[in-house]
């Protein structure tokens, strides 16, 4: 019998904060506003929220349950629960998805580090909207600088996994994440006082149903998977460390609420500012990087605010990259039967990721392709696999056993969950996918 992981989190709050640390990151603050901006604002928001309830809850629960029941990472979990190797392709898919996400995620983290250094030097002072746009273009196309900062983020993430100091980081983020939330609240307050901010509010909250196209639905689904870190095994790891008496459903709801709050808050900051300053909401991946410095210039203590915000953003990114890299490191370590120990696995994964980073910095096409393929194809596919695995492959009693072993789950809720897992979620993923490629 394989050895199971000990519950490493002594407190329930610790686990919630760690999983929220994985979920809350650049996906909320960088990606959500730019994807929403490109896809019609309010139209996107409503579909996104529906996805969070329809996909987010069952899938976060499923990953937590797989981890909690098996006590293993995404590499060993399926084999452990199923007793054979037939679902091992899912572990490979998880590892590959984590690897490809890291390629572009570290580049965006590099942008954040670069903006932090510039904020320290007060570099945005007096730049107008056009200057801010060209400034971003100059930063992103500075290959040596971007490779350096992105690789620095890889080294930092690798160091955390190497020395297994995740818990220190979690303790730190327990203080820093609320600080980030507070900062964002202050920024939202400031932005809402700007002239013209109401147009942005309308853009973000008013739903024009004619704008809900198959592409918008596909993008919203992809963003939901990406932002909640689902469909690639990151949350399985957290499930494995979950204290036995922690309720999976309640924990999932708490993580989802936190993640969604941060995304909405980001929208509340960015869109009013976009319209007040005359930016284009469909500006693309650079959106927040051109809008944020303009906001700080309007705030009191502008230097301190921008340094603090970009610093916190880097830390939010780090808590996400840790969970991403952990999936790949555990895979290499366990797939080699421990021949490659943790440290060697960290080195191998970091080296491969650095190659991918160089490709992403050199080519915007590779960057965009990785972003799109992971969110809209690979994570939904991974989620589909996990639904099939838990919903159909494990004997019903197994799934029910997993669920009801959790105190506090009501019978009716369990029934809905299993139906969602067996029918609703897989059908919705397949339909959205077929619809977006024009088959339906
Ligand atoms: N959810 C993270 C974010 O929003 C990104 C991420 C995706 C982290 C997948 C881990 C796994 O930034």
């Amino acid at each position: 019998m394989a050895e199971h992981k000990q519950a490493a989190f002594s407190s329930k709050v610790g686990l919630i904060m760690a999983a929220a640390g994985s979920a809350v990151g650049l996906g909320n603050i960088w990606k959500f506003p730019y994807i929403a901006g490109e896809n019609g604002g309010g139209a996107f928001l409503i579909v996104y929220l529906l996805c969070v309830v329809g996909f987010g809850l069952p899938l976060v629960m499923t990953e937590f349950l797989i981890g909690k029941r098996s006590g293993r990472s995404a590499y060993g979990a399926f084999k452990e629960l199923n007793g054979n190797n037939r679902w091992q392709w899912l572990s490979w898919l998880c590892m590959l998805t984590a690897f490809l996400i890291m390629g572009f995620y570290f580049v965006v983290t590099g942008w954040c580090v670069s903006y932090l250094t510039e904020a320290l030097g007060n570099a945005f002072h007096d730049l107008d909207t056009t200057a801010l746009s060209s400034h971003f273009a100059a930063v992103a196309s500075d290959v040596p600088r971007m490779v350096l900062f992105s690789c620095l983020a890889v080294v930092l993430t690798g160091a955390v996994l190497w020395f297994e100091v995740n818990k220190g980081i979690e303790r730190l983020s327990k203080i820093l994440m609320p600080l980030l939330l507070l900062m964002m609240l202050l920024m939202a307050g400031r932005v809402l006082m700007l002239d013209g901010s109401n147009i942005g509010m309308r853009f973000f909250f008013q739903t024009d149903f004619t704008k809900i196209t198959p592409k918008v639905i596909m993008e919203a689904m992809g963003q939901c998977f990406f932002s909640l870190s689902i469909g690639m095994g990151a949350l399985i790891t957290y499930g494995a460390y979950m204290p036995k008496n922690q309720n999976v459903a309640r924990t999932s709801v708490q993580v989802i609420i936190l993640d969604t709050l941060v995304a909405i808050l980001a929208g509340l900051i960015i869109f009013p500012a976009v319209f007040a300053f005359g930016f284009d909401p469909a500006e693309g991946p650079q959106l927040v990087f051109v809008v944020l410095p303009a906001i700080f210039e309007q705030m009191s203590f502008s230097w301190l605010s921008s340094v603090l915000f970009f610093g916190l953003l880097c830390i939010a990114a780090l808590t996400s990259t840790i969970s991403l890299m952990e999936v790949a490191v555990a895979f290499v370590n366990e797939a080699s039967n421990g021949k490659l120990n943790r440290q060697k696995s960290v080195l191998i994964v970091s080296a491969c990721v650095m190659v991918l980073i160089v490709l992403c910095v050199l080519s915007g096409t590779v960057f965009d392709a990785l972003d799109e393929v992971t969110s809209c194809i690979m994570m939904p596919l991974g989620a589909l696999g996990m639904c099939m695995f838990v919903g159909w492959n494990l004997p019903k009693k197994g799934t029910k056993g997993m669920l009801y072993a959790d105190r506090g789950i009501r019978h009716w809720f369990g029934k809905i969950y299993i139906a969602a897992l067996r029918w609703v979620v897989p059908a919705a993923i397949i339909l959205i996918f077929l619809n977006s490629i024009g088959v339906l």
Side-chain angles (χ1 to χ4, degrees), residues 11 20 27 55 58 135 137-138 145 161 165 180 188 191 257 294 327 333 347 353 364 375 394-395 416:
S11 81
F55 294 127
H135 181 75
R145 186 181 165 92
L161 296 181
V165 287
L180 178 69
V191 160
I257 289 180
V327 172
N333 175 235
L347 284 182
V353 168
S375 288
L394 292 182
I416 295 179

Side-chain angles (χ1 to χ4, degrees), residues 21-28 101 105 223 225-230 232 234 259 316 320-321 323-324 379:
S22 166
V24 174
L26 301 175
N28 310 59
I101 293 178
Y105 203 92
Q223 173 60 16
F225 285 99
F226 184 78
S227 188
L228 291 172
S229 312
I230 44 187
M232 44 73 68
D259 188 74
S320 298
T321 55
S323 71
L324 272 168
M379 297 172 100

Side-chain angles (χ1 to χ4, degrees), residues 8 33 59 165 185 197-198 221 293 320 331 333 338 376 423 429:
L59 288 169
V165 287
L185 277 171
S197 64
N198 54 335
M221 175 178 77
S320 298
F331 185 97
N333 175 235
C376 293
W423 302 103
I429 293 178

